[in-house]
Amino acid sequence: MRRTLVKHALDSVTAQDSILVEGWVRTRRDSKAFSFLEINDGTSLASIQVIADAGIPGYENIGKMTTGASVSVQGKLVESPGKQKWEIQATAIELVGTSPESYPLQKKGHSPEFLRTIAHLRPRTNLFGAVFRTRSRIAAAVHKFFLDRDFVWVHTPIITASDCEGAGEMFHVTTLDPLAENKSYEKDFFGKAASLTVSGQLEGETFACALSNIYTFGPTFRAENSNTSRHAAEFWMIEPEIAFCDIYGDMDVAESFIKHIANTMLADESGDFDFFCRFVDKGLKARLEEVSQKPFVRCSYTEAIDIMLASGEKFEYPPYWGMDLQSEHERFLTERHFKCPVIVYNYPKEIKPFYMRLNEDGKTVTAMDVLVPGIGEIIGGSQREERLDVLEGNIERLGMDAEAYYWYNDLRRYGTVPHAGFGVGFERLIMFVTGVQNIRDVLPYPRTPRNCEF
Ligand code: 4AD
Ligand code: MG
């Protein structure tokens, strides 16, 4: 007999004479003549109630069907007098795997901190089931957004020899023993220094300058030693790149993208979104509705500094023109000043990477960051420097190895075009649509400084 997923059993339009469901026991209550079991198979938040009469085949093992045990239930899908429409009147029940008392998820209401220590079991809780089903759905929505607009998904390499952001926060990839003497890159696997990618942008640009609209979507790695609730050493990034596009076109795509994701979440009928609104963040729905409806504010970096200077607000890092915006500044702008998403653009060139296009003022580059309430920076992007001489000047000014970037410069040598793109932190996007506060709780197995468990 074919297994029916609990989610489909609960969505059934008719009663069924014969059904098979399988899953894990959440709770069990016994009375003299029968037992009630709540069975969850992770296909949705909801569990299905099973009534097992004493004496049906398999009932002799009922005592072992404890919380966390796996079971297989055959029976009839019948109307339920309880709060759910359907329940199962079992005709046979089989113990598949026992779960002794050491099972750590005995009681409801564990803290996220505790659950991180059992990351291999936490997907069985309501919160983490909802988070990871949502992560999967939002990933599909990301692909839909770009594929519907004729963007090609390009799989840029995970191992690379270039440091896109120029921040030197790379994880080296080597087959040499770090403790051995006489190491040299010559002897290493690639015959040169290699790292895990911090961004697929540079490789992505080469494809945009051939296929017009592309995006990447994959893991990226940063050895940033910042132990915050919004940074991970391994995270996923979505990086669209658009040919024949300037910074304003770039902002338009970024804004439509965030709105599309907010709308996808608002349309969620699985129960997961309602769960986040009720138990994780009471302001979530209103926030997403605003993001979906209101146009994003666009504000230059210089204006943003002026706004903060005039605000009378006490910042830990007092604002001045030329500084990199800190998280407290970003959150002030989006949460307290504008109270909506803000796109800050035209940043001082000194604080931005080599590839951003220099503005006519000679002082700022066409960087743009999208800041959203509750998160701060969710997107970072720019129009790229398409002028070969200016780009080569940047590479020299920053003391980069010019030869290593010959292929990137070639895009400007042969048929250069204005082009622009951005990077979305996928985990920050998931935090944004779920209200979950810590990046460690939206990654299946978070990697952060001094933490690489599982
Ligand atoms: O602003 P970033 O560094 O931009 C880039 O990497 C560009 N190459 C993107 C591009 O133009 N194609 O990173 C982009 C986004 C950030 O806005 C943030 O959401 C996320 O990636 N991000 C991180 N997310 C989690 N943990 C980290 N350590 C992150 N670093 C960046
Ligand atoms: Mg950034």
PDB file of all heavy atoms in Angstrom, residues 85-97:
ATOM      1  N   LYS A  85      -9.988  18.367  10.687  1.00  0.00           N
ATOM      2  CA  LYS A  85     -11.101  17.774   9.947  1.00  0.00           C
ATOM      3  C   LYS A  85     -11.025  16.249   9.966  1.00  0.00           C
ATOM      4  O   LYS A  85     -12.033  15.561  10.074  1.00  0.00           O
ATOM      5  CB  LYS A  85     -11.061  18.292   8.504  1.00  0.00           C
ATOM      6  CG  LYS A  85     -12.281  17.865   7.722  1.00  0.00           C
ATOM      7  CD  LYS A  85     -12.579  18.804   6.571  1.00  0.00           C
ATOM      8  CE  LYS A  85     -13.851  18.334   5.874  1.00  0.00           C
ATOM      9  NZ  LYS A  85     -13.674  18.055   4.474  1.00  0.00           N
ATOM     10  N   TRP A  86      -9.806  15.709   9.867  1.00  0.00           N
ATOM     11  CA  TRP A  86      -9.652  14.269   9.702  1.00  0.00           C
ATOM     12  C   TRP A  86      -8.804  13.638  10.804  1.00  0.00           C
ATOM     13  O   TRP A  86      -7.895  14.267  11.332  1.00  0.00           O
ATOM     14  CB  TRP A  86      -8.978  13.944   8.357  1.00  0.00           C
ATOM     15  CG  TRP A  86      -9.706  14.494   7.165  1.00  0.00           C
ATOM     16  CD1 TRP A  86      -9.298  15.513   6.363  1.00  0.00           C
ATOM     17  CD2 TRP A  86     -10.959  14.049   6.650  1.00  0.00           C
ATOM     18  NE1 TRP A  86     -10.214  15.738   5.365  1.00  0.00           N
ATOM     19  CE2 TRP A  86     -11.251  14.857   5.516  1.00  0.00           C
ATOM     20  CE3 TRP A  86     -11.890  13.057   7.025  1.00  0.00           C
ATOM     21  CZ2 TRP A  86     -12.405  14.703   4.763  1.00  0.00           C
ATOM     22  CZ3 TRP A  86     -13.039  12.915   6.264  1.00  0.00           C
ATOM     23  CH2 TRP A  86     -13.296  13.723   5.145  1.00  0.00           C
ATOM     24  N   GLU A  87      -9.103  12.389  11.091  1.00  0.00           N
ATOM     25  CA  GLU A  87      -8.220  11.598  11.946  1.00  0.00           C
ATOM     26  C   GLU A  87      -8.197  10.170  11.401  1.00  0.00           C
ATOM     27  O   GLU A  87      -8.951   9.825  10.483  1.00  0.00           O
ATOM     28  CB  GLU A  87      -8.694  11.625  13.403  1.00  0.00           C
ATOM     29  CG  GLU A  87     -10.078  11.041  13.613  1.00  0.00           C
ATOM     30  CD  GLU A  87     -10.596  11.215  15.037  1.00  0.00           C
ATOM     31  OE1 GLU A  87     -10.168  12.172  15.733  1.00  0.00           O
ATOM     32  OE2 GLU A  87     -11.439  10.400  15.447  1.00  0.00           O
ATOM     33  N   ILE A  88      -7.306   9.359  11.945  1.00  0.00           N
ATOM     34  CA  ILE A  88      -7.204   7.991  11.424  1.00  0.00           C
ATOM     35  C   ILE A  88      -7.668   7.001  12.485  1.00  0.00           C
ATOM     36  O   ILE A  88      -7.205   7.031  13.630  1.00  0.00           O
ATOM     37  CB  ILE A  88      -5.761   7.669  10.977  1.00  0.00           C
ATOM     38  CG1 ILE A  88      -5.400   8.536   9.764  1.00  0.00           C
ATOM     39  CG2 ILE A  88      -5.606   6.186  10.637  1.00  0.00           C
ATOM     40  CD1 ILE A  88      -3.978   8.381   9.273  1.00  0.00           C
ATOM     41  N   GLN A  89      -8.588   6.176  12.069  1.00  0.00           N
ATOM     42  CA  GLN A  89      -9.006   5.043  12.909  1.00  0.00           C
ATOM     43  C   GLN A  89      -8.137   3.869  12.449  1.00  0.00           C
ATOM     44  O   GLN A  89      -8.325   3.337  11.358  1.00  0.00           O
ATOM     45  CB  GLN A  89     -10.497   4.766  12.660  1.00  0.00           C
ATOM     46  CG  GLN A  89     -11.079   3.647  13.484  1.00  0.00           C
ATOM     47  CD  GLN A  89     -11.205   4.043  14.964  1.00  0.00           C
ATOM     48  OE1 GLN A  89     -11.804   5.060  15.297  1.00  0.00           O
ATOM     49  NE2 GLN A  89     -10.611   3.216  15.839  1.00  0.00           N
ATOM     50  N   ALA A  90      -7.133   3.519  13.281  1.00  0.00           N
ATOM     51  CA  ALA A  90      -6.135   2.540  12.825  1.00  0.00           C
ATOM     52  C   ALA A  90      -6.718   1.138  12.745  1.00  0.00           C
ATOM     53  O   ALA A  90      -7.544   0.744  13.572  1.00  0.00           O
ATOM     54  CB  ALA A  90      -4.937   2.544  13.766  1.00  0.00           C
ATOM     55  N   THR A  91      -6.268   0.390  11.707  1.00  0.00           N
ATOM     56  CA  THR A  91      -6.610  -1.030  11.634  1.00  0.00           C
ATOM     57  C   THR A  91      -5.382  -1.882  11.928  1.00  0.00           C
ATOM     58  O   THR A  91      -5.501  -3.056  12.254  1.00  0.00           O
ATOM     59  CB  THR A  91      -7.166  -1.387  10.236  1.00  0.00           C
ATOM     60  OG1 THR A  91      -6.241  -0.892   9.250  1.00  0.00           O
ATOM     61  CG2 THR A  91      -8.528  -0.768  10.008  1.00  0.00           C
ATOM     62  N   ALA A  92      -4.211  -1.281  11.795  1.00  0.00           N
ATOM     63  CA  ALA A  92      -2.960  -1.966  12.164  1.00  0.00           C
ATOM     64  C   ALA A  92      -1.928  -0.892  12.434  1.00  0.00           C
ATOM     65  O   ALA A  92      -1.946   0.173  11.813  1.00  0.00           O
ATOM     66  CB  ALA A  92      -2.477  -2.874  11.029  1.00  0.00           C
ATOM     67  N   ILE A  93      -1.030  -1.144  13.378  1.00  0.00           N
ATOM     68  CA  ILE A  93      -0.029  -0.143  13.725  1.00  0.00           C
ATOM     69  C   ILE A  93       1.295  -0.855  13.973  1.00  0.00           C
ATOM     70  O   ILE A  93       1.340  -1.886  14.645  1.00  0.00           O
ATOM     71  CB  ILE A  93      -0.508   0.692  14.938  1.00  0.00           C
ATOM     72  CG1 ILE A  93       0.469   1.804  15.250  1.00  0.00           C
ATOM     73  CG2 ILE A  93      -0.814  -0.155  16.151  1.00  0.00           C
ATOM     74  CD1 ILE A  93      -0.139   2.903  16.108  1.00  0.00           C
ATOM     75  N   GLU A  94       2.355  -0.328  13.352  1.00  0.00           N
ATOM     76  CA  GLU A  94       3.634  -1.029  13.441  1.00  0.00           C
ATOM     77  C   GLU A  94       4.699  -0.118  14.038  1.00  0.00           C
ATOM     78  O   GLU A  94       4.842   1.042  13.618  1.00  0.00           O
ATOM     79  CB  GLU A  94       4.065  -1.458  12.030  1.00  0.00           C
ATOM     80  CG  GLU A  94       5.305  -2.331  12.013  1.00  0.00           C
ATOM     81  CD  GLU A  94       5.846  -2.496  10.585  1.00  0.00           C
ATOM     82  OE1 GLU A  94       5.033  -2.430   9.621  1.00  0.00           O
ATOM     83  OE2 GLU A  94       7.067  -2.663  10.444  1.00  0.00           O
ATOM     84  N   LEU A  95       5.414  -0.650  15.005  1.00  0.00           N
ATOM     85  CA  LEU A  95       6.547   0.089  15.569  1.00  0.00           C
ATOM     86  C   LEU A  95       7.715  -0.072  14.599  1.00  0.00           C
ATOM     87  O   LEU A  95       8.144  -1.187  14.316  1.00  0.00           O
ATOM     88  CB  LEU A  95       6.899  -0.503  16.939  1.00  0.00           C
ATOM     89  CG  LEU A  95       8.129   0.085  17.627  1.00  0.00           C
ATOM     90  CD1 LEU A  95       7.905   1.532  18.041  1.00  0.00           C
ATOM     91  CD2 LEU A  95       8.496  -0.763  18.852  1.00  0.00           C
ATOM     92  N   VAL A  96       8.238   1.023  14.068  1.00  0.00           N
ATOM     93  CA  VAL A  96       9.361   0.944  13.121  1.00  0.00           C
ATOM     94  C   VAL A  96      10.679   1.109  13.855  1.00  0.00           C
ATOM     95  O   VAL A  96      11.596   0.313  13.707  1.00  0.00           O
ATOM     96  CB  VAL A  96       9.215   1.996  11.993  1.00  0.00           C
ATOM     97  CG1 VAL A  96      10.401   1.939  11.037  1.00  0.00           C
ATOM     98  CG2 VAL A  96       7.913   1.782  11.228  1.00  0.00           C
ATOM     99  N   GLY A  97      10.795   2.156  14.667  1.00  0.00           N
ATOM    100  CA  GLY A  97      12.028   2.374  15.432  1.00  0.00           C
ATOM    101  C   GLY A  97      11.696   2.935  16.803  1.00  0.00           C
ATOM    102  O   GLY A  97      10.895   3.857  16.915  1.00  0.00           O
TER     103      GLY A  97
END
